[in-house]
Amino acid sequence: MRTLALFGAAGSMVLSSLAAAPATAAPDVPPAEERGTLTAARRAAAEGIDFTTCPAAEQLPPSVLCGTVRVPLDYADPDGTRIALTVSRIKASGPAGSRQGALVYNPGGPGASSTSFPTAAQLPAWKRIAAAYDLVGYAPRGVGRSAPVSCQDPADRAKGPTLAPTEPSEVFKQERIARAKTYALGCAQRTGAALRHYHSLNNARDLEVLRAALGEPKLTYMGASYGTYFGALYATLFPQRVRRMVFDAPVHPAPRQIWYVNNLDQSLAFERRWADFRTWVAKHDKVYGLGSTAEEVRQSYEKVRVGLAARPAGGKVGPGQLHAAMLQAGYHDGYWALRATALSRYLKGDPKPLIEQAAPASASAPASEPSVPEPSVPDGEDPGNGTAVYTAVECNDAPWPEDFAVWDRDNTRLAKLAPFETWDNVWTNLPCAYWKAPRQKPLDVRTGPGVLPPVLILAAERDAATPYEGALELQRRLSGSALVTERDAGTHGIGGGANACVNGHLEKYLLTGAVPGRTPVRRASCAPHPEPDPVSLERRSGLPPAV
């Protein structure tokens, strides 16, 4: 999700005044889909998954094996068209007698694949978990080779440089409206009638079929970001099939939030995270020379933005590419030193680091070790596929305002408080205003006492992509769940990452089922992980400083 944490009253009041997508009552699950899921799961249990050597395009080591599970395109017609989802697995490394089953992981998106997840077995934070569980990743429907969604010819994707105005003109807005209409039409034309079947409820049903195909009587699952949302849908639809579930960086699951309001909340939260980054850079002014206050750092950033608008770096990096690179710093503080150095070097006359980090299709990675292997685009696949799946799922999932005047009003107000991300978020999601496929009605995520075994929720208090209020709401809705909070931290997705306290709770839960805290409200907190090392690229590489 290009998707309110602990904001003050002013921010909350502003959001409450913004027009939301129409609220919808949680529907009963249609009997046809319910029966279709049961039929598909029984069939998958009988067929299983034939794990063999992974295709070379997956770029996975020989220790990881791959296979496919076939799921109905339309669960109301389980005997109709079936699509194949790519699945990857590495078997538990411990003694056979200590194996606890398969741990299925989804990294979010929508539009991300977890086929690289089994390689996490080699990361220190995952070794004990990998000894007890088969680590299983997969490409959800629409992603990669799993019946891919396509919305435009790869040749038509913007290569840069592009603009990213924080106060867009009417001419710019009209151009973006036209682009959104073209993109929505492209999704309908290139994916066809199947487009309507790419949504979160079907992702949850696919998870049930995958469980059956793996031969697991109950599901052990970890989802991050968007993966928490359809994981919560699974818990609501199939509570009797849940063994253990981890929700890392949860999406706010209330039906009224999906997805228009969640994106408004996200834009506001990114403004605070952008300030966190600037405050950190200012603390290390001796390293970067971008200013000794957050405001001075902002002014330095504006100088870079203006310079790129006049003369794109390397002919590739304009304000749009700069913004996309800086947005990554809002997700993960492992990017902070890299981005600060790139800004500093640019202002000193050396654009090379910025070009390396921000040019289209760059593969820059966080400076710190990721929680799990980051998704990549396998050889020969459409690099725009992730965006297409993101758009299809979010547009299909719920009602969206269909009049641009509503978007314009809400986001003009919001941009006065949160200029950093607001309009970019609008342009990302605007195809949903002109969507051609039918909308779903969001399911009311909710379980009563004793329905689910205890589940574990992990959340960083200053997460911008999925603000902290979503974690609190998910805990309220899943009775008996436990919440572990990383205080005063904002990296998006904390399980298996840099915080030993968080990892201790995660490991204990997956290995024993134990959750922290006591009923009725089970909660625990961890101190924040250490701030990033303000090492410059010169020190990192041993190169002489730029002058």
Side-chain angles (χ1 to χ4, degrees):
M1 184 180 57
R2 294 283 313 271
T3 56
L4 243 339
L6 303 179
F7 290 105
S12 299
M13 286 170 57
V14 168
L15 273 187
S16 68
S17 70
L18 298 175
T24 57
D28 293 330
V29 178
E33 277 83 353
E34 188 175 2
R35 290 192 299 269
T37 307
L38 182 60
T39 297
R42 286 173 176 168
R43 183 184 291 140
E47 293 176 350
I49 299 176
D50 182 18
F51 283 102
T52 60
T53 302
C54 293
E58 289 291 345
Q59 304 173 32
L60 294 170
S63 57
V64 180
L65 299 180
C66 293
T68 58
V69 57
R70 295 178 54 172
V71 302
L73 176 65
D74 179 1
Y75 277 93
D77 183 17
D79 296 321
T81 301
R82 290 202 289 166
I83 58 178
L85 310 186
T86 301
V87 184
S88 60
R89 183 188 71 180
I90 191 167
K91 300 201 80 171
S93 61
S98 63
R99 179 181 177 275
Q100 295 198 37
L103 170 61
V104 178
Y105 178 79
N106 179 275
S113 170
S114 62
T115 54
S116 62
F117 171 62
T119 63
Q122 302 305 312
L123 299 177
W126 291 89
K127 283 198 170 183
R128 279 170 51 87
I129 296 169
Y133 288 95
D134 300 348
L135 300 188
V136 175
Y138 75 108
R141 64 171 56 206
V143 178
R145 282 180 294 278
S146 297
V149 170
S150 176
C151 291
Q152 63 183 161
D153 189 294
D156 294 334
R157 297 180 66 242
K159 301 296 183 183
T162 56
L163 299 174
T166 56
E167 296 182 8
S169 67
E170 287 303 313
V171 171
F172 189 87
K173 290 175 184 178
Q174 291 304 314
E175 186 274 330
R176 286 295 182 146
I177 290 171
R179 185 182 298 186
K181 289 179 177 178
T182 298
Y183 193 83
L185 181 61
C187 295
Q189 292 177 337
R190 294 176 67 87
T191 304
L195 183 63
R196 65 185 299 169
H197 300 298
Y198 292 86
H199 53 72
S200 294
L201 285 168
N202 277 349
N203 281 338
R205 293 169 183 135
D206 290 347
L207 196 55
E208 169 62 2
V209 177
L210 175 58
R211 173 205 63 77
L214 291 167
E216 298 293 328
K218 294 192 175 185
L219 177 69
T220 301
Y221 171 80
M222 180 172 176
S225 192
Y226 167 72
T228 67
Y229 178 59
F230 75 83
L233 295 179
Y234 182 95
T236 302
L237 292 170
F238 311 106
Q240 75 282 4
R241 292 297 188 185
V242 173
R243 179 178 178 268
R244 290 172 195 162
M245 299 191 91
V246 180
F247 300 99
D248 186 7
V251 168
H252 197 302
R256 62 180 172 79
Q257 295 281 131
I258 308 298
W259 287 101
Y260 182 72
V261 176
N262 264 336
N263 278 283
L264 292 172
D265 290 355
Q266 185 190 63
S267 294
L268 184 58
F270 262 109
E271 194 68 25
R272 184 176 69 174
R273 196 62 183 149
W274 170 230
D276 288 347
F277 167 72
R278 291 184 287 114
T279 298
W280 177 86
V281 173
K283 284 173 57 177
H284 304 291
D285 186 41
K286 290 183 179 179
V287 176
Y288 303 117
L290 293 170
S292 59
T293 68
E295 174 57 22
E296 290 178 353
V297 174
R298 188 194 66 79
Q299 293 172 8
S300 293
Y301 175 76
E302 286 301 312
K303 290 179 184 178
V304 176
R305 204 160 68 87
V306 170
L308 293 174
R311 185 179 180 183
K316 300 177 181 179
V317 178
Q321 288 66 45
L322 172 68
H323 180 270
M326 298 311 299
L327 187 64
Q328 290 176 310
Y331 279 88
H332 197 307
D333 60 18
Y335 288 102
W336 285 9
L338 288 168
R339 299 296 186 260
T341 299
L343 296 175
S344 176
R345 291 276 287 270
Y346 176 87
L347 290 174
K348 293 175 182 177
D350 177 12
K352 184 178 178 181
L354 184 60
I355 295 170
E356 290 175 346
Q357 295 179 39
S362 66
S364 56
S368 60
E369 186 176 78
S371 304
V372 296
E374 291 200 332
S376 60
V377 179
D379 291 341
E381 293 189 6
D382 177 10
N385 171 244
T387 300
V389 177
Y390 167 89
T391 306
V393 170
E394 293 217 352
C395 296
N396 281 337
D397 266 3
W400 289 77
E402 296 181 0
D403 183 351
F404 180 72
V406 176
W407 298 67
D408 198 16
R409 179 193 63 209
D410 293 350
N411 289 280
T412 297
R413 293 174 181 173
L414 183 58
K416 293 177 181 178
L417 284 178
F420 177 69
E421 170 62 355
T422 294
W423 285 109
D424 186 66
N425 225 348
V426 172
W427 312 137
T428 297
N429 294 286
L430 190 57
C432 295
Y434 312 107
W435 200 241
K436 306 301 181 182
R439 320 277 190 169
Q440 298 289 306
K441 292 184 178 180
L443 187 70
D444 189 27
V445 169
R446 198 178 300 277
T447 61
V451 174
L452 276 181
V455 301
L456 183 66
I457 301 169
L458 309 175
E461 200 170 37
R462 299 178 74 83
D463 190 335
T466 52
Y468 185 66
E469 174 58 35
L472 299 175
E473 182 66 18
L474 184 61
Q475 187 183 30
R476 285 191 285 267
R477 288 169 171 266
L478 299 183
S479 180
S481 58
L483 171 60
V484 174
T485 300
E486 184 180 20
R487 302 189 309 273
D488 200 30
T491 286
H492 181 57
I494 57 177
N499 193 307
C501 171
V502 171
N503 293 342
H505 287 294
L506 172 64
E507 183 179 280
K508 183 176 181 180
Y509 173 71
L510 288 175
L511 296 182
T512 71
V515 294
R518 298 179 179 179
T519 55
V521 181
R522 293 172 164 152
R523 293 202 181 152
S525 63
C526 294
H529 64 274
E531 286 191 340
D533 178 10
V535 61
S536 66
L537 286 182
E538 293 89 350
R539 284 175 53 200
R540 190 186 305 278
S541 63
L543 296 174
V547 294

